Amino acid sequence: MNAVEMGHGSGGTLMEELIQRIRSVFSSSYLDQGLDSAILPPVDGKLAFTTDSFVVRPLFFPGGDIGKLAVCGTVNDLSVVGATARYLSSSLILEEGLPLETLDRVISSMAAAAREAGVEIVTGDTKVVEKGHGDGVFITTAGLGSIREGIDLSGALLSPGDVLIVSGSLGDHAMTILGLRESLGFASALTSDCAPLNGMIKALLDSKAEPLFMRDITRGGLAAVLCELAALRAAALEVEEDALPLRDEVRALGELLGIDPLSMANEGKILVAVRESRADAALAALRAHRYGRDARAIGRVVALGAEGVRMRTSSGGMRRVTRPYAEKLPRIC
Amino acid sequence: MNAVEMGHGSGGTLMEELIQRIRSVFSSSYLDQGLDSAILPPVDGKLAFTTDSFVVRPLFFPGGDIGKLAVCGTVNDLSVVGATARYLSSSLILEEGLPLETLDRVISSMAAAAREAGVEIVTGDTKVVEKGHGDGVFITTAGLGSIREGIDLSGALLSPGDVLIVSGSLGDHAMTILGLRESLGFASALTSDCAPLNGMIKALLDSKAEPLFMRDITRGGLAAVLCELAALRAAALEVEEDALPLRDEVRALGELLGIDPLSMANEGKILVAVRESRADAALAALRAHRYGRDARAIGRVVALGAEGVRMRTSSGGMRRVTRPYAEKLPRIC
């Protein structure tokens, strides 16, 4: 038995063996309850609840894999609304024929990412589909967190003059995946930025930065997040092209493939908006953390009442930033 | 635009359109927050948290579809641990080429099932995979519920003499799906039992039945649930073959295909254990509900300290009941 069989999803002894294998890696007293739902202790205050499916291809890449991504993505979605990530669920859709060794690598990576993030995988499910009806492994995580009192990261308090900060270099994840798929040798220097950002975000919230808005920069890239914020608050935003933190390899690969860095997906970066007077505190808090070392102010809120995003280009012109229609990077996460 | 395209999963405007389409069907103020996580009001007491992926084939069947199944399955997993189901997440993995009309039917069915169950779909995600790398639509739901005070459905209080009750006929879901796949005409009288059981379970908990253990009977069938209970509490259980509620069509199809009714999956049935003195109250409470009309006592706990399940057969013999190794029904849910 070296590969996933249809019987692994059938509710019998074979499935039970697979589930025990997964449980022993995730190692949680809640999973060991053996109930249809994990029973968790009371949580004070408001709750944050989120979910994401992960279908990234290939399953393994420099800097991470689908398992790490599935944990980090959900931890980050909880963190950017000001929640302390606590519990995760993990549901796997396995394709018949998947080597069990591959599955072991993926779930071990999930367990390691959960340990780093300080969250517990407390409930799960496993299904199997026939060869040719899935693609190795798809993972869906859901996450549960508790919200800090008195925090509002919705952008409701945004004002003209507020500063926009990104926590580090853009596009590392997207260009790593794409370089790998296209077998572009020079892209091998690239590493995905996939990381659990809850520690960095906690440091930011604990600092004097008083962030007004926070969002992780994933599918759709910075352009999508900026356009969302602009739409959410009818805000006019302006960013500086020269201020965007971009690795040389990312810039080069983007030019080669015709992909705008503004639309490249990341898996370990956030956009933060703060008052101008708090920008230094925010940058200091981010840069003190390993995942925020390259944090940089990239622009500001210029007005309220008229939605729009523009970018002052390197050549001194002004360009309108729009949400991409359909980017060229399928299955990036 | 009549079918799902890769761009629907790419983070751009096309994806935003799809998400708006789904949001308008699910219709929740939490989804409208437009944040990376839903922010929910505080929940008193312990929490129940669960997840399941759904890969049933075909997507539509008499009595339900993958959308209804995804909502009911998670509502039921919350309900059987004594939780009040409150919030669901929904994450979709769509295959390129899926007709948008099909997607609309599936999500409308999810919304209808959620309305019946009185739960709200508050957060979600959508991914797209290339044609031939998925199978129409896979759905993963996670669920969050609050646990009633003073309820213990773990079976910890089980004693010899306790009565085992099933809430209705066994195997309807499995045999409906299989009859459909095998195009067996006479199976067309069958309907899946797929249903949200939270109302029925609430009625049971509100009655004088004082249930000691509860589990929904899904993959692996009654045999799996009985063996789990036996293992969990080192209990010897005995059931009567003649007492098992089975529709004639299910019995006939099972015999034709060589499938043991004990291992057939259901999507709207539970096993309940109660004190003998409470059995009548439990049966009355279940039978008063539309989903429990055919509830029946099927056996009892005969001893503690030695795990095992046996069945007194119609012919008067005694047969050992074991968990199936790998049943013949892939992708039943």
Side-chain angles (χ1 to χ4, degrees):
Chain A
M1 189 180 86
N2 296 311
V4 170
E5 307 168 21
M6 289 309 294
H8 278 117
S10 73
T13 311
L14 194 59
M15 184 178 91
E16 197 53 33
E17 284 169 18
L18 183 71
I19 288 175
Q20 288 303 342
R21 189 181 182 119
I22 296 171
R23 259 190 206 164
S24 73
V25 173
F26 287 165
S27 176
S28 156
S29 61
Y30 298 107
L31 281 171
D32 294 340
Q33 289 171 343
L35 302 176
D36 285 329
S37 299
I39 298 185
L40 306 170
V43 171
D44 277 343
K46 289 186 189 173
L47 297 171
F49 185 30
T50 191
T51 191
D52 265 327
S53 288
F54 296 85
V55 299
V56 68
R57 194 171 46 88
L59 296 177
F60 301 91
F61 45 83
D65 56 67
I66 191 170
K68 182 179 180 186
L69 208 55
V71 168
C72 295
T74 291
V75 164
N76 294 347
D77 278 348
L78 292 172
S79 305
V80 293
V81 300
T84 303
R86 293 184 182 277
Y87 305 108
L88 297 194
S89 67
S90 155
S91 201
L92 309 175
I93 298 176
L94 309 177
E95 185 190 12
E96 181 186 18
L98 178 77
L100 285 174
E101 193 198 339
T102 304
L103 177 64
D104 284 342
R105 281 179 66 194
V106 168
I107 59 179
S108 297
S109 174
M110 292 181 78
R115 269 193 304 276
E116 183 189 340
V119 297
E120 198 165 344
I121 299 170
V122 297
T123 188
D125 185 40
T126 304
K127 292 292 192 302
V128 180
V129 295
E130 303 88 347
K131 202 164 179 61
H133 293 265
D135 202 356
V137 50
F138 299 146
I139 305 177
T140 302
T141 44
L144 195 56
S146 54
I147 306 245
R148 293 183 175 218
E149 278 294 330
I151 281 194
D152 179 358
L153 294 170
S154 69
L157 302 173
L158 223 59
S159 305
D162 292 343
V163 174
L164 303 173
I165 292 171
V166 295
S167 63
S169 57
L170 299 172
D172 297 11
H173 178 73
M175 291 302 105
T176 299
I177 299 289
L178 207 62
L180 206 58
R181 280 198 211 144
E182 307 275 326
S183 303
L184 292 169
F186 78 94
S188 65
L190 278 170
T191 302
S192 166
D193 57 348
C194 173
L197 298 180
N198 53 338
M200 181 187 80
I201 290 172
K202 179 179 187 305
L204 183 67
L205 294 174
D206 288 346
S207 76
K208 296 190 187 305
E210 291 179 13
L212 307 164
F213 175 83
M214 213 187 286
R215 186 71 51 108
D216 57 341
I217 309 168
T218 55
R219 280 185 293 178
L222 183 61
V225 174
L226 290 170
C227 291
E228 265 175 54
L229 175 59
L232 208 58
R233 297 300 158 208
L237 311 176
E238 188 178 310
V239 298
E240 306 281 334
E241 185 170 22
D242 285 342
L244 299 179
L246 273 187
R247 293 188 199 285
D248 292 341
E249 302 90 330
V250 168
R251 190 187 304 274
L253 194 51
E255 279 172 11
L256 184 72
L257 300 170
I259 297 174
D260 183 351
L262 282 177
S263 71
M264 292 175 186
N266 311 269
E267 289 295 340
K269 299 292 155 41
I270 56 173
L271 176 80
V272 186
V274 294
R275 295 274 181 256
E276 189 174 8
S277 61
R278 304 288 179 165
D280 287 342
L283 287 166
L286 290 169
R287 288 174 182 161
H289 196 279
R290 58 190 286 224
Y291 296 137
R293 276 194 303 253
D294 300 324
R296 207 182 293 182
I298 58 153
R300 58 181 66 232
V301 179
V302 289
L304 291 182
E307 162 188 353
V309 183
R310 59 191 189 190
M311 181 166 75
R312 190 173 298 276
T313 63
S314 304
S315 56
M318 198 66 91
R319 179 193 133 187
R320 196 168 155 235
V321 174
T322 54
R323 196 171 173 130
Y325 178 68
E327 67 174 37
K328 296 162 187 168
L329 281 169
R331 298 184 61 185
I332 206 73
C333 60
Chain B
M1 188 179 85
N2 295 312
V4 169
E5 306 169 21
M6 289 309 295
H8 277 116
S10 73
T13 312
L14 194 59
M15 183 177 91
E16 197 54 31
E17 284 169 19
L18 183 70
I19 288 175
Q20 288 303 342
R21 189 180 182 120
I22 296 172
R23 259 190 206 165
S24 72
V25 173
F26 287 164
S27 175
S28 156
S29 61
Y30 297 107
L31 281 171
D32 294 339
Q33 288 170 343
L35 302 176
D36 285 329
S37 299
I39 298 185
L40 306 171
V43 171
D44 278 343
K46 288 185 189 173
L47 297 171
F49 185 32
T50 192
T51 190
D52 266 327
S53 288
F54 296 85
V55 300
V56 68
R57 193 173 47 90
L59 296 177
F60 302 91
F61 45 83
D65 56 66
I66 191 170
K68 182 179 181 187
L69 208 55
V71 169
C72 295
T74 290
V75 164
N76 294 348
D77 277 348
L78 292 172
S79 304
V80 291
V81 301
T84 302
R86 293 184 181 279
Y87 305 108
L88 298 193
S89 67
S90 155
S91 199
L92 309 175
I93 299 176
L94 309 177
E95 185 189 13
E96 181 185 19
L98 178 78
L100 285 174
E101 192 199 341
T102 305
L103 178 63
D104 285 341
R105 282 179 67 195
V106 168
I107 60 178
S108 298
S109 175
M110 292 181 78
R115 269 194 305 276
E116 183 190 340
V119 297
E120 198 165 343
I121 298 171
V122 297
T123 187
D125 185 41
T126 306
K127 293 291 192 303
V128 180
V129 295
E130 304 87 347
K131 203 165 179 59
H133 293 266
D135 202 356
V137 50
F138 299 146
I139 305 178
T140 302
T141 44
L144 195 56
S146 54
I147 306 246
R148 293 183 174 216
E149 278 294 327
I151 280 193
D152 179 359
L153 294 170
S154 69
L157 301 175
L158 222 59
S159 304
D162 291 344
V163 173
L164 303 172
I165 292 171
V166 295
S167 63
S169 57
L170 299 172
D172 297 12
H173 178 73
M175 291 303 103
T176 300
I177 299 290
L178 206 62
L180 205 59
R181 279 198 211 145
E182 307 276 325
S183 303
L184 293 168
F186 77 96
S188 65
L190 278 170
T191 301
S192 166
D193 57 349
C194 174
L197 298 180
N198 52 338
M200 181 185 79
I201 290 172
K202 180 179 187 306
L204 183 67
L205 294 174
D206 288 345
S207 76
K208 295 190 187 306
E210 293 181 11
L212 306 164
F213 175 83
M214 213 186 283
R215 185 73 51 107
D216 57 342
I217 308 169
T218 55
R219 279 185 293 178
L222 182 62
V225 174
L226 290 170
C227 290
E228 264 176 55
L229 175 58
L232 209 58
R233 296 303 158 206
L237 311 176
E238 188 177 311
V239 297
E240 306 280 334
E241 185 169 22
D242 284 343
L244 299 179
L246 274 186
R247 292 188 199 286
D248 291 342
E249 302 91 333
V250 167
R251 189 188 305 275
L253 194 52
E255 279 172 11
L256 183 73
L257 300 170
I259 297 176
D260 183 351
L262 283 177
S263 71
M264 292 174 185
N266 311 269
E267 290 295 339
K269 299 292 155 42
I270 56 171
L271 176 80
V272 186
V274 293
R275 296 275 181 254
E276 191 174 8
S277 61
R278 305 289 179 165
D280 287 343
L283 286 166
L286 290 169
R287 287 174 181 159
H289 195 279
R290 58 189 287 223
Y291 295 137
R293 276 193 304 253
D294 300 323
R296 207 182 293 182
I298 58 151
R300 58 180 66 230
V301 179
V302 289
L304 290 181
E307 161 188 353
V309 183
R310 61 194 187 188
M311 182 166 75
R312 190 173 298 276
T313 64
S314 303
S315 55
M318 197 65 92
R319 178 192 133 189
R320 194 166 157 237
V321 174
T322 54
R323 195 172 173 129
Y325 178 69
E327 67 174 37
K328 296 163 188 167
L329 281 169
R331 299 184 58 184
I332 206 73
C333 60

